[in-house]
Amino acid sequence: MQTSKIYTIERFLLEQQSQFPHATGELTRILYDLALAGKMIARETRRAGLGTLLGAAGTENTYGERQQKLDVYADSLIFRLNDHTQRLCAMASEEHEEILTIPPHYGEGRYALLYDPLDGSSNIDVNVSVGTIFAIHRKVSTGEKGTLEDVLQSGRTLAAAGYMIYGSSTMMVYSTGRGVHGFTLDPTIGEFLLSHPDIRIPSPPMFYSANQGNEKFWTHGVRRFTRWLQGIDGEGGKPLSQRYIGSLIADFHRNLLQGGVFYYPGDMKKAKHPYGKLRLLFEAQTMAFIADQAGGYASDGIGDVLDVQPHQLHQCTPLFVGNRELVEQAEKFIAMHDQDWINTFRPYRDSVTQEA
Ligand code: AHG
Ligand code: MN
Ligand code: MN
């Protein structure tokens, strides 16, 4: 008889929680609620080609991008699954300019949830992997209701973070600061089962992932770094293969499991993304938290993404994430060649005036 344990996500979360005698179980239940959201979004992505949800919704989000219908569905679903549980004091979504408050007839809780409901949404119509990103902070404001202060926290103080990836299978990957664990959805029984316990980024790395179509806008240091990854410049070793999907989650997930570096740098010339394209709170902090817990590292080009104190809900950040030695190499090239860019980015990065 086989004796290896079968872990549903529920069993795993409960066993993890039991290691903390004072845990109230609220965080466990938030993660379980998010797993349910993941299953429901996975179901809709599977049907995306069938008509009702495919294509643009005709509205624009705070970045002026075309919102896809699945974005709208995922955004409202996550809110509705979490607004009444009395576990959250506030939410914030990449799709909304302001924080989302808990409706007054429901009680307030001790956590704040941030989410990117559908990451990689431009890939939906072409059947390429997309995902959902989440980050959970403890309430720090002292009033009864959650405020901006509860979501504008550094990645260091995250209580938990993770993502769902809707790919050839659906996975949920998360960390509560005790390693990174991955669960695969068995669609026949509707359960997430532990498939990837204690994930560590492997070495040597295999891939580098960046939108090289932007290379002409990149700073000198980032271009030198790219050549180093290709084994062309300096001490660079064996060239890495290039893989880029255009869904942060899918690019990050591949590199997490196979080793590599993802980067979306800031630049001086492309006015659209002087400070990078990705959002610190809805995308980068979670990637940094998971990478750190898996033995990797995330930098904004100047230093550790986890140490950046956010000042704006929709703050952008450059992101270099993956195997530590690769990310540190990026920092070295930037420090060596990109002082002008650092001087432009640093005041924005270190600004302290809080705003939505
Ligand atoms: P979102 O779909 O949530 O707006 O995120 C898209 C992001 C991210 O997933 C990806 O890494 C990046 O945009 C790709 O940007 P480019 O198309 O400029 O490469
Ligand atoms: Mn995104
Ligand atoms: Mn999104």
Side-chain angles (χ1 to χ4, degrees), residues 94 116 118-121 211 244 246 248 264 277 279 283:
E94 189 202 65
D116 177 355
L118 210 77
D119 174 67
S121 43
N211 185 346
Y244 188 73
L248 170 64
Y264 208 112
K277 177 185 183 187
R279 294 81 175 180
E283 293 168 322

Side-chain angles (χ1 to χ4, degrees), residues 61 63 65 71 94-95 116-123 131 133 210-211 214 244-251 262 264 270 273 277-279 283:
N61 67 9
Y63 311 96
E65 296 158 353
D71 281 22
E94 189 202 65
E95 301 296 334
D116 177 355
L118 210 77
D119 174 67
S121 43
S122 68
N123 278 325
I133 305 174
N211 185 346
N214 290 333
Y244 188 73
I245 293 173
S247 289
L248 170 64
I249 283 303
D251 282 305
F262 169 95
Y264 208 112
K270 196 177 177 190
H273 303 306
K277 177 185 183 187
L278 300 174
R279 294 81 175 180
E283 293 168 322

